[in-house]
Tab-separated table of all heavy atoms in Angstrom:
chain	number	residue	atom	x	y	z
A	683	LEU	N	10.855	0.118	-9.937
A	683	LEU	CA	11.591	0.630	-8.840
A	683	LEU	C	12.000	-0.364	-7.774
A	683	LEU	O	13.170	-0.496	-7.309
A	683	LEU	CB	10.889	1.770	-8.137
A	683	LEU	CG	10.866	3.106	-8.999
A	683	LEU	CD1	9.871	4.067	-8.291
A	683	LEU	CD2	12.218	3.727	-9.115
A	684	VAL	N	11.083	-1.256	-7.554
A	684	VAL	CA	11.408	-2.312	-6.568
A	684	VAL	C	12.447	-3.246	-7.123
A	684	VAL	O	13.380	-3.598	-6.392
A	684	VAL	CB	9.960	-3.181	-6.363
A	684	VAL	CG1	10.340	-4.440	-5.663
A	684	VAL	CG2	9.081	-2.371	-5.539
A	685	ARG	N	12.396	-3.526	-8.372
A	685	ARG	CA	13.462	-4.448	-9.004
A	685	ARG	C	14.763	-3.673	-8.914
A	685	ARG	O	15.874	-4.200	-8.688
A	685	ARG	CB	13.092	-4.888	-10.434
A	685	ARG	CG	12.008	-6.001	-10.444
A	685	ARG	CD	11.884	-6.518	-11.758
A	685	ARG	NE	11.656	-5.558	-12.851
A	685	ARG	CZ	10.405	-5.142	-13.153
A	685	ARG	NH1	9.421	-5.508	-12.464
A	685	ARG	NH2	10.214	-4.262	-14.128
A	686	LYS	N	14.766	-2.372	-9.396
A	686	LYS	CA	15.958	-1.558	-9.545
A	686	LYS	C	16.740	-1.482	-8.231
A	686	LYS	O	17.921	-1.595	-8.185
A	686	LYS	CB	15.687	-0.201	-10.147
A	686	LYS	CG	16.774	0.694	-10.313
A	686	LYS	CD	16.409	2.079	-10.874
A	686	LYS	CE	17.624	2.895	-11.068
A	686	LYS	NZ	17.387	4.168	-11.608
A	687	TYR	N	16.002	-1.231	-7.142
A	687	TYR	CA	16.568	-0.992	-5.859
A	687	TYR	C	16.538	-2.219	-5.018
A	687	TYR	O	17.027	-2.093	-3.782
A	687	TYR	CB	15.899	0.316	-5.224
A	687	TYR	CG	16.143	1.453	-5.902
A	687	TYR	CD1	15.183	2.091	-6.689
A	687	TYR	CD2	17.526	2.140	-5.986
A	687	TYR	CE1	15.456	3.192	-7.436
A	687	TYR	CE2	17.630	3.312	-6.629
A	687	TYR	CZ	16.655	3.933	-7.351
A	687	TYR	OH	16.896	5.042	-8.015
A	688	GLY	N	16.035	-3.277	-5.448
A	688	GLY	CA	16.010	-4.581	-4.681
A	688	GLY	C	15.238	-4.407	-3.325
A	688	GLY	O	15.689	-4.940	-2.289
A	689	CYS	N	14.163	-3.779	-3.428
A	689	CYS	CA	13.327	-3.596	-2.349
A	689	CYS	C	12.700	-4.895	-1.749
A	689	CYS	O	12.420	-5.759	-2.625
A	689	CYS	CB	12.150	-2.669	-2.518
A	689	CYS	SG	12.730	-1.106	-3.124
A	690	THR	N	12.696	-5.117	-0.621
A	690	THR	CA	12.069	-6.261	0.093
A	690	THR	C	10.750	-5.999	0.802
A	690	THR	O	10.036	-6.922	1.104
A	690	THR	CB	13.093	-6.965	1.126
A	690	THR	OG1	13.332	-5.979	2.156
A	690	THR	CG2	14.307	-7.441	0.407
A	691	ARG	N	10.556	-4.699	1.083
A	691	ARG	CA	9.330	-4.215	1.651
A	691	ARG	C	8.963	-2.857	1.172
A	691	ARG	O	9.977	-2.025	0.779
A	691	ARG	CB	9.425	-4.184	3.181
A	691	ARG	CG	9.305	-5.470	3.950
A	691	ARG	CD	9.294	-5.197	5.330
A	691	ARG	NE	10.278	-6.148	5.845
A	691	ARG	CZ	11.068	-6.011	6.838
A	691	ARG	NH1	10.972	-4.981	7.548
A	691	ARG	NH2	11.843	-6.999	7.185
A	692	MET	N	7.627	-2.592	1.231
A	692	MET	CA	7.199	-1.116	0.915
A	692	MET	C	6.351	-0.679	2.048
A	692	MET	O	5.624	-1.511	2.567
A	692	MET	CB	6.439	-1.140	-0.354
A	692	MET	CG	7.395	-1.216	-1.637
A	692	MET	SD	6.301	-0.888	-3.167
A	692	MET	CE	5.837	-2.659	-3.405
A	693	VAL	N	6.318	0.609	2.307
A	693	VAL	CA	5.461	1.263	3.281
A	693	VAL	C	4.596	2.099	2.505
A	693	VAL	O	4.852	2.926	1.827
A	693	VAL	CB	6.248	1.993	4.309
A	693	VAL	CG1	5.277	2.677	5.247
A	693	VAL	CG2	7.242	1.070	5.098
A	694	VAL	N	3.219	1.900	2.764
A	694	VAL	CA	2.103	2.710	2.107
A	694	VAL	C	1.342	3.415	3.153
A	694	VAL	O	0.935	2.833	4.157
A	694	VAL	CB	1.261	1.771	1.175
A	694	VAL	CG1	0.109	2.513	0.682
A	694	VAL	CG2	1.965	1.070	0.035
A	695	GLY	N	1.155	4.671	3.041
A	695	GLY	CA	0.393	5.472	3.950
A	695	GLY	C	-1.117	5.006	3.946
A	695	GLY	O	-1.666	4.779	2.863
A	696	ASN	N	-1.602	4.960	5.206
A	696	ASN	CA	-2.996	4.510	5.327
A	696	ASN	C	-3.760	5.641	5.926
A	696	ASN	O	-3.771	6.007	7.073
A	696	ASN	CB	-3.023	3.341	6.391
A	696	ASN	CG	-4.307	2.562	6.376
A	696	ASN	OD1	-5.180	2.772	5.362
A	696	ASN	ND2	-4.547	1.657	7.284
A	697	PRO	N	-4.531	6.289	5.041
A	697	PRO	CA	-5.244	7.644	5.544
A	697	PRO	C	-6.528	7.261	6.187
A	697	PRO	O	-7.606	7.398	5.653
A	697	PRO	CB	-5.555	8.308	4.195
A	697	PRO	CG	-5.597	7.192	3.205
A	697	PRO	CD	-4.632	6.152	3.731
A	698	LEU	N	-6.397	6.960	7.508
A	698	LEU	CA	-7.495	6.761	8.271
A	698	LEU	C	-8.152	8.098	8.799
A	698	LEU	O	-7.500	9.049	8.733
A	698	LEU	CB	-7.104	5.847	9.595
A	698	LEU	CG	-6.406	4.628	9.347
A	698	LEU	CD1	-5.834	4.068	10.681
A	698	LEU	CD2	-7.355	3.648	8.765
A	699	TYR	N	-9.358	7.930	9.186
A	699	TYR	CA	-10.031	9.093	9.749
A	699	TYR	C	-9.377	9.303	11.172
A	699	TYR	O	-8.778	8.340	11.659
A	699	TYR	CB	-11.544	8.788	10.129
A	699	TYR	CG	-12.352	8.999	8.826
A	699	TYR	CD1	-13.308	7.951	8.489
A	699	TYR	CD2	-12.410	10.040	8.009
A	699	TYR	CE1	-14.101	8.043	7.370
A	699	TYR	CE2	-13.259	10.273	6.924
A	699	TYR	CZ	-14.005	9.179	6.599
A	699	TYR	OH	-14.925	9.199	5.491
A	700	MET	N	-9.402	10.472	11.772
A	700	MET	CA	-8.874	10.809	12.911
A	700	MET	C	-9.331	9.896	14.114
A	700	MET	O	-8.791	9.652	15.019
A	700	MET	CB	-9.197	12.293	13.374
A	700	MET	CG	-8.403	13.243	12.593
A	700	MET	SD	-6.669	13.073	12.498
A	700	MET	CE	-6.286	13.383	14.356
A	701	SER	N	-10.811	9.360	13.950
A	701	SER	CA	-11.293	8.427	14.811
A	701	SER	C	-10.518	7.007	14.728
A	701	SER	O	-10.809	6.140	15.616
A	701	SER	CB	-12.598	8.241	14.716
A	701	SER	OG	-12.844	7.641	13.353
A	702	GLY	N	-9.737	6.876	13.716
A	702	GLY	CA	-9.131	5.488	13.433
A	702	GLY	C	-10.008	4.639	12.583
A	702	GLY	O	-9.497	3.590	12.170
A	703	ASP	N	-11.142	5.171	12.294
A	703	ASP	CA	-12.055	4.344	11.265
A	703	ASP	C	-11.500	4.488	9.888
A	703	ASP	O	-10.752	5.396	9.480
A	703	ASP	CB	-13.541	4.973	11.250
A	703	ASP	CG	-14.137	4.740	12.600
A	703	ASP	OD1	-13.832	3.798	13.342
A	703	ASP	OD2	-15.024	5.558	12.890
A	704	ILE	N	-11.816	3.489	9.089
A	704	ILE	CA	-11.411	3.436	7.706
A	704	ILE	C	-12.040	4.480	6.823
A	704	ILE	O	-13.344	4.404	6.815
A	704	ILE	CB	-11.538	1.997	7.122
A	704	ILE	CG1	-10.694	1.001	8.008
A	704	ILE	CG2	-11.224	1.918	5.718
A	704	ILE	CD1	-10.919	-0.464	7.607
A	705	SER	N	-11.228	5.253	6.157
A	705	SER	CA	-11.933	6.295	5.278
A	705	SER	C	-11.966	5.763	3.836
A	705	SER	O	-11.280	4.670	3.534
A	705	SER	CB	-11.044	7.529	5.197
A	705	SER	OG	-9.753	7.212	4.546
A	706	PRO	N	-12.645	6.349	2.998
A	706	PRO	CA	-12.848	5.943	1.617
A	706	PRO	C	-11.374	5.900	0.960
A	706	PRO	O	-10.956	4.991	0.231
A	706	PRO	CB	-13.587	6.941	0.855
A	706	PRO	CG	-14.438	7.442	1.900
A	706	PRO	CD	-13.632	7.455	3.177
A	707	GLN	N	-10.597	6.836	1.248
A	707	GLN	CA	-9.120	6.814	0.693
A	707	GLN	C	-8.238	5.661	1.315
A	707	GLN	O	-7.469	5.136	0.609
A	707	GLN	CB	-8.414	8.174	1.061
A	707	GLN	CG	-8.974	9.291	0.201
A	707	GLN	CD	-8.698	9.018	-1.224
A	707	GLN	OE1	-9.710	8.858	-1.991
A	707	GLN	NE2	-7.583	9.051	-1.809
A	708	ALA	N	-8.570	5.324	2.604
A	708	ALA	CA	-7.858	4.188	3.212
A	708	ALA	C	-8.281	2.944	2.436
A	708	ALA	O	-7.439	2.125	2.230
A	708	ALA	CB	-8.222	4.069	4.640
A	709	LEU	N	-9.493	2.790	1.939
A	709	LEU	CA	-9.811	1.685	1.280
A	709	LEU	C	-9.097	1.606	-0.047
A	709	LEU	O	-8.658	0.433	-0.547
A	709	LEU	CB	-11.385	1.604	0.924
A	709	LEU	CG	-12.306	1.417	2.162
A	709	LEU	CD1	-13.762	1.580	1.727
A	709	LEU	CD2	-12.075	-0.005	2.674
A	710	LYS	N	-8.884	2.736	-0.619
A	710	LYS	CA	-8.149	2.808	-1.938
A	710	LYS	C	-6.634	2.362	-1.627
A	710	LYS	O	-6.026	1.709	-2.360
A	710	LYS	CB	-8.105	4.123	-2.574
A	710	LYS	CG	-9.570	4.502	-3.120
A	710	LYS	CD	-9.553	5.838	-3.628
A	710	LYS	CE	-10.972	6.146	-4.223
A	710	LYS	NZ	-10.968	7.508	-4.789
A	711	ALA	N	-6.102	2.846	-0.549
A	711	ALA	CA	-4.681	2.617	-0.103
A	711	ALA	C	-4.510	1.105	0.119
A	711	ALA	O	-3.590	0.450	-0.275
A	711	ALA	CB	-4.262	3.485	1.107
A	712	GLN	N	-5.516	0.455	0.776
A	712	GLN	CA	-5.474	-0.917	1.001
A	712	GLN	C	-5.677	-1.768	-0.268
A	712	GLN	O	-4.842	-2.806	-0.382
A	712	GLN	CB	-6.561	-1.302	2.015
A	712	GLN	CG	-6.335	-0.670	3.326
A	712	GLN	CD	-7.570	-0.672	4.290
A	712	GLN	OE1	-8.578	-1.331	4.001
A	712	GLN	NE2	-7.529	0.015	5.507
A	713	ALA	N	-6.421	-1.305	-1.181
A	713	ALA	CA	-6.487	-2.131	-2.423
A	713	ALA	C	-5.053	-1.878	-3.207
A	713	ALA	O	-4.641	-2.855	-3.730
A	713	ALA	CB	-7.653	-1.511	-3.287
A	714	LEU	N	-4.530	-0.723	-3.154
A	714	LEU	CA	-3.249	-0.513	-3.789
A	714	LEU	C	-2.212	-1.430	-3.155
A	714	LEU	O	-1.430	-2.138	-3.819
A	714	LEU	CB	-2.868	0.900	-3.712
A	714	LEU	CG	-1.378	1.339	-4.216
A	714	LEU	CD1	-1.333	1.030	-5.695
A	714	LEU	CD2	-1.109	2.721	-3.912
A	715	ALA	N	-2.252	-1.533	-1.932
A	715	ALA	CA	-1.203	-2.322	-1.140
A	715	ALA	C	-1.365	-3.797	-1.585
A	715	ALA	O	-0.278	-4.496	-1.901
A	715	ALA	CB	-1.458	-2.163	0.389
A	716	ARG	N	-2.579	-4.339	-1.665
A	716	ARG	CA	-2.787	-5.700	-2.299
A	716	ARG	C	-2.247	-5.817	-3.533
A	716	ARG	O	-1.539	-6.831	-3.951
A	716	ARG	CB	-4.265	-5.988	-2.071
A	716	ARG	CG	-4.774	-6.325	-0.830
A	716	ARG	CD	-6.236	-6.945	-0.780
A	716	ARG	NE	-7.200	-5.996	-1.430
A	716	ARG	CZ	-7.726	-5.113	-0.821
A	716	ARG	NH1	-7.625	-4.809	0.471
A	716	ARG	NH2	-8.718	-4.321	-1.423
A	717	ASP	N	-2.599	-4.852	-4.487
A	717	ASP	CA	-2.201	-4.874	-5.886
A	717	ASP	C	-0.613	-4.885	-5.951
A	717	ASP	O	-0.032	-5.609	-6.821
A	717	ASP	CB	-2.781	-3.724	-6.618
A	717	ASP	CG	-4.234	-3.952	-6.983
A	717	ASP	OD1	-4.752	-5.056	-6.707
A	717	ASP	OD2	-4.839	-2.939	-7.415
A	718	LEU	N	-0.013	-4.066	-5.147
A	718	LEU	CA	1.431	-3.946	-5.072
A	718	LEU	C	2.134	-5.180	-4.683
A	718	LEU	O	3.166	-5.656	-5.262
A	718	LEU	CB	1.925	-2.822	-4.192
A	718	LEU	CG	1.820	-1.543	-4.735
A	718	LEU	CD1	2.032	-0.334	-3.591
A	718	LEU	CD2	2.891	-1.138	-5.900
A	719	GLU	N	1.477	-5.869	-3.670
A	719	GLU	CA	2.102	-7.201	-3.213
A	719	GLU	C	1.980	-8.205	-4.374
A	719	GLU	O	3.007	-9.024	-4.565
A	719	GLU	CB	1.341	-7.643	-1.972
A	719	GLU	CG	1.786	-6.935	-0.650
A	719	GLU	CD	1.230	-7.529	0.519
A	719	GLU	OE1	0.114	-8.231	0.443
A	719	GLU	OE2	1.732	-7.231	1.591
A	720	GLN	N	0.946	-8.207	-5.021
A	720	GLN	CA	0.568	-9.192	-6.136
A	720	GLN	C	1.569	-8.851	-7.404
A	720	GLN	O	2.190	-9.671	-7.885
A	720	GLN	CB	-0.716	-9.160	-6.633
A	720	GLN	CG	-1.707	-9.870	-5.679
A	720	GLN	CD	-3.268	-9.745	-6.169
A	720	GLN	OE1	-3.510	-8.870	-6.985
A	720	GLN	NE2	-4.029	-10.686	-5.619
A	721	GLU	N	1.751	-7.618	-7.647
A	721	GLU	CA	2.598	-7.182	-8.753
A	721	GLU	C	4.154	-7.409	-8.562
A	721	GLU	O	4.764	-7.824	-9.401
A	721	GLU	CB	2.300	-5.657	-9.091
A	721	GLU	CG	3.070	-5.085	-10.225
A	721	GLU	CD	2.554	-5.516	-11.589
A	721	GLU	OE1	1.447	-5.897	-11.765
A	721	GLU	OE2	3.435	-5.463	-12.577
A	722	THR	N	4.533	-7.159	-7.300
A	722	THR	CA	5.927	-7.107	-7.099
A	722	THR	C	6.437	-8.193	-6.251
A	722	THR	O	7.633	-8.640	-6.394
A	722	THR	CB	6.312	-5.851	-6.229
A	722	THR	OG1	5.701	-5.835	-4.941
A	722	THR	CG2	5.943	-4.469	-6.980
A	723	GLY	N	5.543	-9.002	-5.473
A	723	GLY	CA	5.961	-10.018	-4.692
A	723	GLY	C	6.607	-9.664	-3.410
A	723	GLY	O	7.124	-10.464	-2.631
A	724	VAL	N	6.683	-8.349	-3.102
A	724	VAL	CA	7.163	-7.786	-1.768
A	724	VAL	C	6.056	-7.600	-0.823
A	724	VAL	O	5.060	-7.230	-1.197
A	724	VAL	CB	8.157	-6.660	-2.002
A	724	VAL	CG1	9.311	-7.019	-2.887
A	724	VAL	CG2	7.458	-5.452	-2.406
A	725	SER	N	6.492	-7.589	0.500
A	725	SER	CA	5.589	-7.329	1.533
A	725	SER	C	5.253	-5.746	1.400
A	725	SER	O	6.121	-4.934	1.347
A	725	SER	CB	6.220	-7.713	2.836
A	725	SER	OG	5.357	-7.269	3.854
């Protein structure tokens, strides 16, 4: 999809706790974001 649409950036939801602390799901989102950057080369 990044290639098809020529994306230069992606926004990924970061599911923090209401306190702002990092939740287990936020850790997964952050890992996905790192993998997406490596896979696609976009920010």
Side-chain angles (χ1 to χ4, degrees):
L683 288 171
V684 165
R685 285 192 306 275
K686 179 178 180 177
Y687 293 105
C689 300
T690 58
R691 277 185 231 149
M692 283 187 273
V693 176
V694 171
N696 194 15
L698 302 170
Y699 284 126
M700 289 304 294
S701 65
D703 292 335
I704 296 171
S705 70
Q707 285 303 108
L709 290 174
K710 291 178 183 179
Q712 292 165 9
L714 174 65
R716 284 190 302 275
D717 291 348
L718 282 169
E719 283 184 339
Q720 289 178 338
E721 178 78 20
T722 65
V724 302
S725 175

